[in-house]
Amino acid sequence: MAYRTAKRRLGYEIAIRPMAESDLDQLHQLSIGVGWPHRPEDWRLVIGLGHGIVACDAIGRVLGSAMWWPFGERFATVGMVITSPRLQAQGAGRELMEMIFAQTGMRDLRLNSTKAGYRLYRSLGFEPIGRIFQHQGKALPPSAPVAAPPGLRPVIPDDLDALVALDASAYGADRRPALTALLPVSVGTLLERDGAVVGYALCRPFGRGHVVGPIVAEDDATAIALLTPHVEAHQGEFLRVDTAQEQGAFGAFLEASGLTIFDTVTPMIRGRAHGPSGSARIYGLVNQALA
């Protein structure tokens, strides 16, 4: 794959090259500059799972980034697309995305767009397919007791294969590498019914506190049951859930638990949409990059 060096209107050259682990500190500073909460550990996780490129100036300073994560040969997600303020009006975002397109080939692509990136992604052929709501805040105890349903238990390492199968039916693609990486750094809840896994939720450190995601369930009641132990475990602490569930009992439970809507992003696709093949649905994202 050829990488480019381009002369910018401001009079300096920008080189686009592969992202490396040694870029971690600069990538962290880049995300801080645009107000994203990612810790170095959060960057390390996504770098380990995907492919990235960075835009650098002549003295090696990282001024932009973009990543993609393959989920099989026909689908990938795109994220961590950041350009520093000095490059935002210079077309660097488009250059980074064109390089991503060259690397992902014929795969269908999905990303979650901020308001700032929406016009760019529309111009590149992405279509909006809804909204994602970023709920966050200090977790409050449930206003009414939530009874644990029969079959609710902690996730253990031996559950990986069952989680991967259920997740693939809900997400529309196999996310085994992501779940394999998430399991050791997460505390999970799982719901079994008649010997089969019908829902799960993983909670891990992220950003300002903890995030619960993915959450996979067949209905609001199951999603609430899976989430409740994590809300209870982090009472008074910062907790975050990213979800497409705007209406209904699940969204109401998030609000009642102190996790109010802080922001929204727009999920967008380029190519064919990949969706659920069974009754399970995605109630909580891994994060807005891996989705």
Side-chain angles (χ1 to χ4, degrees):
M1 181 68 224
Y3 290 85
R4 294 200 290 264
T5 299
K7 192 79 170 181
R8 316 306 305 172
R9 291 204 309 264
L10 294 180
Y12 53 85
E13 290 186 346
I14 291 296
I16 297 178
R17 61 163 176 79
M19 186 180 291
E21 179 82 14
S22 58
D23 295 319
L24 185 62
D25 288 345
Q26 291 196 74
L27 290 168
H28 181 224
Q29 292 303 314
L30 188 67
S31 58
I32 288 174
V34 294
W36 291 9
H38 297 68
R39 308 166 303 155
E41 294 89 342
D42 302 323
W43 269 103
R44 189 174 287 111
L45 175 69
V46 295
I47 290 173
L49 289 170
H51 308 279
I53 52 178
V54 293
C56 302
D57 65 12
I59 60 174
R61 291 175 296 189
V62 174
L63 303 179
S65 67
M67 295 194 68
W68 66 279
W69 297 269
F71 297 107
E73 295 299 318
R74 291 185 283 182
F75 179 69
T77 60
V78 178
M80 307 308 286
V81 181
I82 308 173
T83 53
S84 68
R86 62 193 294 202
L87 285 188
Q88 284 175 2
Q90 307 300 317
R94 181 175 294 274
E95 288 188 33
L96 288 166
M97 288 300 298
E98 288 175 352
M99 188 70 73
I100 293 291
F101 293 156
Q103 293 185 0
T104 54
M106 299 300 293
R107 286 180 172 87
D108 301 313
L109 301 179
R110 176 175 175 140
L111 56 76
N112 288 310
S113 173
T114 63
K115 296 177 181 66
Y118 184 81
R119 289 181 62 186
L120 170 63
Y121 298 133
R122 284 303 304 266
S123 73
L124 292 169
F126 285 89
E127 297 291 336
I129 55 171
R131 282 197 297 175
I132 298 294
F133 301 86
Q134 181 179 327
H135 287 259
Q136 64 183 48
K138 287 189 176 181
L140 301 175
S143 56
V146 178
L152 186 71
R153 64 167 175 84
V155 169
I156 61 174
D158 288 347
D159 293 322
L160 177 62
D161 288 345
L163 298 187
V164 168
L166 178 66
D167 186 85
S169 74
Y171 187 72
D174 189 328
R175 298 195 290 182
R176 178 178 290 272
L179 294 181
T180 300
L182 289 172
L183 220 55
V185 298
S186 302
V187 173
T189 49
L190 174 151
L191 184 63
E192 288 180 312
R193 186 179 301 128
D194 299 326
V197 177
V198 296
Y200 80 94
L202 300 180
C203 180
R204 70 187 189 280
F206 177 84
R208 296 170 55 190
H210 284 74
V211 64
V212 187
I215 304 170
V216 175
E218 58 189 1
D219 54 37
D220 283 17
T222 301
I224 291 169
L226 292 163
L227 176 60
T228 295
H230 303 296
V231 173
E232 293 175 340
H234 295 286
Q235 287 183 25
E237 301 175 8
F238 185 88
L239 196 62
R240 172 172 168 173
V241 175
D242 293 281
T243 182
Q245 307 299 318
E246 179 180 10
Q247 306 293 333
F250 184 72
F253 179 79
L254 290 172
E255 295 281 341
S257 299
L259 310 186
T260 57
I261 295 174
F262 174 76
D263 198 5
T264 63
V265 295
T266 303
M268 307 182 79
I269 57 169
R270 187 176 191 261
R272 185 176 65 89
H274 290 244
S277 58
S279 59
R281 297 290 184 270
I282 300 295
Y283 272 78
L285 278 58
V286 174
N287 60 29
Q288 291 183 11
L290 290 169

